[in-house]
Amino acid sequence: MFEKILIANRGEIACRVMRTARRMGIGTVAVYSDADRDALHVEMADEGVYIGGSPSVESYLRGDAIVAACQRTGAEAVHPGYGFLSENAAFAAALEAAGIVFVGPDARAITAMGDKIEAKRLAGAAGVATIPGHAGALEGAEHAVEVARGIGYPVMLKASAGGGGKGMRIVRDDTECREGFERASSEARSSFGDERVFAEKFIERPRHIEIQVLADGRGDAIYLGERECSLQRRHQKVIEETPSPFLDAATREAMGEQAVALAKAVGYRSAGTVEFVVDAARRFYFLEMNTRLQVEHAVTECVTGLDLVEWMIRIAAGEPLGITQADVNPTGWAIEARVYAEDPFRNFLPSIGRLVRYRAPPESDHVRVDTGFAEGGEVSVYYDPMIAKVIASGESREEAIGHLRDALDGFYIDGVSHNISFLQALVGHPRFAAGDTTTDFIGEEYPDGFHPADVPHEQPAVPILVAAVINRRYVERAARISGQLPGHEHRVSDDWVVRVGGENHAVVVRAVVDGYRVVLDGEEHTVRGEWRFGEPLFEGAIDDRPVRVQVQRDRLLFRLFHRGAQVDAMVLKPAAARLLAHMPEKAPQDSSRLLLSPMPGLLVGITVRAGQEVKVGEALAVVEAMKMENVLRAERDATVAAVLASVGDSLVVDQPIVEFE
């Protein structure tokens, strides 16, 4: 077994690999860039090596720097995590040439499966069902249109070296195909250094289901069940679960056997994932094979009891697989949600900044949190904005969903925007509860984007009751420290008004031995909790039902967050509530004559000039953020008065780009 391994990655996956290595008694080496000098993965490792500048091309994508770090520290092996160099055959070959073990498949298998065009050919030869499409790389936009017409719209354009949703476009006509090809090839060139794009038939109402495999490179391979990954936004997974609520036993077995057949056909070694698209009739087709650890691997670990990172390390060290298909007996259910620094109410734009306050829910037998951040950490513009993964398990799907929702309530994140409202809306959706999910789910349910009104207020009384009790605690403390004369102490009133969304709710709050009795709009409730002043999270029980509510206080205003719904509540004396109704409201600032940058990013394109007339839907500018190109379009017919920014500018949120007459 290895004595020391280097983790060629950052963030939560680097921390996750280190946890297993530490349990196995293996020393760990972290690598870091300028942006990650104080990152959690560097703090966790036994050693840290600086490898370059903040952009990944200057650090985490520099194979030579990582080989040098191994030689400097004596690391015998490299675990690549996912992303970056995890599926780079040249990197794997360079390690081998330097006498360093790559914890993953060999360069030949990476090359075979990493090129989606070649992978599809090999899958067909191995007897794996494949999607109809064009076998070669597209030569340009017009060639893309010609091929798409031959296949028949809708068509999926995909970067041959792609992954993570980058370099992918669904096109439904010639116009979309031309523009989609340009965007897909540009993103592929920027993200992977390979602009090749191919086309295949897009399956309507598909499910994305993948099979986890383990192989030792000696001819033994097994599958560890499936993961349902259909809840996606812009081809990036949001929620994953195992088992799939859609598959039957026969389909599961057939998919597993085909995945193993492909792994054996390429002489695969290590953990890998074979991804399929499944139609409504449970016909399945090969998408690609990921020759690395998947982000969502934790759900498989929860139901099988196997540590996939440990198995990757053991296989890389030369150990045989040692378990057979009959030894794999998944039990229970597990669901994972990805917590991102992004604003779901602004079209999911990345949110950059420091985690001024950060608290993850406590781990338990039913909740696991993989994170790469501690409080004070910085979400950088240079890397993926995922803050954490939360994985919940249970004996049934319903139980796992319940644990996941409670865990999401247990996060407290301040300093950046986050997507917990969106995650709560998804896992609380009736269609999700019924298992009726496809890759079209988010587009179908939120066709105009995600808005605060889309978050159901499932328990509207909860934030009102919590605000009333916390306000009572503050008032009681103020009365105790006011320094009043004996016999003239301040009397704490029981009668209050909680104003939420323009509506007043009369409450009566009385302290009792074990908490508070609160009468809300005539209905009595019991509220208990160990909340302390200044705590950002109220943890307690309402009518003996456990609750977690995030709390921020600004004088009379309480901002509360529960089950993804944000509620701003003002707790007032009855007389003050009556007077507040007469206060005028401030009109919002008019920004209709400006095109504002919706995110921090790099302005990579301006397609208009002063004096030009534009029509609704016309492209105005292209902003790159997190390696994704975002086209900003005109929301109405207008004439450009001035262009206020230049290509190459680094933009901040709401920075004006174009002014209209």
Side-chain angles (χ1 to χ4, degrees):
M1 183 50 64
F2 309 115
E3 292 186 4
K4 184 186 295 186
I5 65 172
L6 181 147
I7 295 86
N9 217 297
R10 62 176 303 279
E12 66 84 16
I13 188 57
C15 296
R16 185 264 170 275
V17 173
M18 289 176 192
R19 284 197 299 271
T20 289
R22 180 173 296 169
R23 180 176 55 78
M24 296 176 69
I26 300 172
T28 57
V29 179
V31 291
Y32 61 91
S33 67
D34 285 329
D36 280 341
R37 285 183 182 275
D38 300 317
L40 182 61
H41 76 279
V42 181
E43 180 181 331
M44 282 187 63
D46 298 311
E47 300 176 61
V49 179
Y50 170 73
I51 55 170
S54 298
S56 55
V57 294
E58 298 176 13
S59 49
Y60 297 106
L61 290 175
R62 282 191 56 200
D64 60 333
I66 293 171
V67 171
C70 290
Q71 294 169 333
R72 171 180 164 185
T73 60
E76 305 149 87
V78 169
H79 195 300
Y82 54 74
F84 295 133
L85 296 172
S86 62
E87 295 180 286
N88 187 300
F91 176 58
L95 289 173
E96 183 179 5
I100 302 164
V101 176
F102 181 71
V103 182
D106 59 25
R108 180 187 55 80
I110 295 173
T111 300
M113 292 293 100
D115 185 325
K116 291 181 174 60
I117 296 172
E118 177 65 10
K120 186 174 180 179
R121 185 190 67 79
L122 289 171
V128 181
T130 59
I131 302 174
H134 180 70
L138 301 174
E139 298 171 5
E142 294 307 318
H143 184 219
V145 169
E146 178 185 342
V147 167
R149 288 174 178 173
I151 296 173
Y153 290 111
V155 164
M156 174 75 84
L157 302 180
K158 300 174 69 174
S160 180
K166 298 178 179 67
M168 296 177 64
R169 290 292 188 278
I170 300 169
V171 297
R172 300 182 182 277
D173 57 39
D174 291 354
T175 301
E176 287 187 3
C177 188
R178 291 186 181 92
E179 182 174 339
F181 175 82
E182 297 296 340
R183 295 274 72 80
S185 59
S186 177
E187 286 180 5
R189 182 170 55 251
S190 172
S191 298
F192 312 111
D194 183 346
E195 63 183 15
R196 291 179 303 152
V197 173
F198 69 102
E200 63 186 20
K201 180 69 176 176
F202 177 68
I203 306 299
E204 297 280 12
R205 295 195 59 76
R207 286 178 178 258
H208 187 128
I209 299 176
E210 61 192 27
I211 303 293
Q212 176 72 59
V213 297
L214 271 179
D216 60 10
R218 304 179 179 190
D220 289 331
I222 58 174
Y223 65 92
L224 306 181
E226 81 280 4
R227 294 187 288 258
E228 171 90 49
C229 306
S230 297
L231 277 179
Q232 302 179 8
R233 190 189 65 78
R234 293 183 69 175
H235 312 300
Q236 290 188 310
K237 300 162 187 173
V238 181
I239 304 284
E240 303 100 347
E241 62 181 307
T242 186
S244 165
F246 180 66
L247 292 191
D248 54 27
T251 307
R252 177 177 295 113
E253 182 178 3
M255 292 175 71
E257 289 176 348
Q258 288 197 16
V260 167
L262 179 59
K264 289 182 176 180
V266 297
Y268 196 79
R269 179 194 71 201
S270 194
T273 301
V274 181
E275 302 197 355
F276 294 91
V277 60
V278 184
D279 67 16
R282 295 193 178 92
R283 292 184 293 259
F284 58 89
Y285 306 94
F286 172 76
L287 276 177
E288 61 183 339
M289 183 176 188
N290 288 300
T291 55
R292 55 170 169 80
L293 195 66
Q294 293 281 88
V295 177
E296 59 274 15
H297 73 277
V299 294
T300 297
E301 293 181 327
C302 284
V303 299
T304 62
L306 299 173
D307 185 325
L308 295 183
V309 171
E310 178 179 349
W311 275 106
M312 293 179 74
I313 293 172
R314 291 192 179 282
I315 290 170
E319 295 185 16
L321 191 55
I323 53 176
T324 67
Q325 195 63 54
D327 297 321
V328 181
N329 297 294
T331 57
W333 215 287
I335 308 176
E336 175 181 288
R338 304 185 186 191
V339 179
Y340 279 99
E342 62 184 11
D343 190 343
F345 305 122
R346 294 171 65 101
N347 198 28
F348 299 91
L349 297 174
S351 181
I352 309 302
R354 190 168 300 281
L355 294 172
V356 178
R357 298 290 297 271
Y358 174 58
R359 178 183 296 181
E363 294 193 310
S364 68
D365 291 341
H366 297 290
V367 175
R368 166 178 164 180
V369 180
D370 289 2
T371 184
F373 287 95
E375 190 167 278
E378 186 171 357
V379 180
S380 169
V381 69
Y382 298 103
Y383 314 118
D384 185 273
M386 186 167 68
I387 298 172
K389 305 178 312 195
V390 56
I391 305 98
S393 59
E395 294 184 7
S396 66
R397 188 169 186 265
E398 293 73 19
E399 184 180 334
I401 291 173
H403 288 309
L404 178 59
R405 304 205 71 187
D406 290 342
L408 289 171
D409 277 343
F411 275 97
Y412 185 80
I413 301 170
D414 187 24
V416 298
S417 299
H418 55 78
N419 67 334
I420 289 177
S421 292
F422 181 58
L423 298 175
Q424 286 281 24
L426 289 178
V427 297
H429 199 287
R431 277 185 61 184
F432 182 79
D436 179 21
T437 58
T438 70
T439 57
D440 301 323
F441 178 95
I442 291 174
E444 291 171 350
E445 295 300 325
Y446 310 106
D448 301 318
F450 188 71
H451 307 284
D454 294 320
V455 183
H457 288 246
E458 300 172 4
Q459 301 170 343
V462 168
I464 297 173
L465 294 168
V466 171
V469 166
I470 291 179
N471 177 75
R472 172 72 183 230
R473 293 282 307 278
Y474 275 107
V475 173
E476 288 173 341
R477 184 179 68 168
R480 288 195 302 269
I481 64 177
S482 62
Q484 298 164 42
L485 295 174
H488 298 275
E489 292 86 359
H490 177 70
R491 188 181 72 84
V492 177
S493 174
D494 294 336
D495 297 314
W496 297 87
V497 172
V498 181
R499 185 173 178 82
V500 173
E503 294 185 0
N504 290 341
H505 300 269
V507 296
V508 179
V509 188
R510 294 189 177 93
V512 294
V513 174
D514 56 349
Y516 292 87
R517 293 283 171 81
V518 184
V519 179
L520 168 60
D521 295 333
E523 185 174 344
E524 186 173 288
H525 303 271
T526 301
V527 182
R528 300 182 179 90
E530 297 298 325
W531 179 83
R532 297 190 300 272
F533 292 103
E535 279 290 305
L537 197 66
F538 175 91
E539 295 186 83
I542 295 178
D543 299 332
D544 296 323
R545 293 193 302 272
V547 295
R548 288 173 174 163
V549 181
Q550 296 176 25
V551 181
Q552 288 180 318
R553 178 178 181 257
D554 183 9
R555 291 174 291 184
L556 298 178
L557 179 68
F558 293 90
R559 176 156 291 168
L560 304 113
F561 192 77
H562 177 251
R563 284 295 193 255
Q566 179 176 297
V567 173
D568 288 345
M570 293 185 70
V571 185
L572 306 165
K573 293 182 178 180
R578 290 192 295 269
L579 292 173
L580 184 63
H582 300 289
M583 295 291 290
E585 293 187 8
K586 184 178 179 180
Q589 183 179 0
D590 180 18
S591 60
S592 60
R593 295 178 58 248
L594 296 171
L595 172 69
L596 304 177
S597 178
M599 73 200 82
L602 181 69
L603 185 61
V604 297
I606 287 282
T607 59
V608 295
R609 63 184 184 280
Q612 180 177 336
E613 293 185 356
V614 296
K615 301 294 184 183
V616 62
E618 187 173 339
L620 305 175
V622 181
V623 177
E624 183 183 274
M626 300 294 182
K627 299 182 181 179
M628 298 288 284
E629 293 188 356
N630 303 272
V631 180
L632 308 184
R633 301 181 183 277
E635 296 182 353
R636 58 182 175 84
D637 295 350
T639 300
V640 176
V643 176
L644 306 176
S646 302
V647 172
D649 286 355
S650 293
L651 305 175
V652 298
V653 175
D654 290 335
Q655 180 173 335
I657 301 173
V658 175
E659 182 181 5
F660 303 103
E661 294 180 357

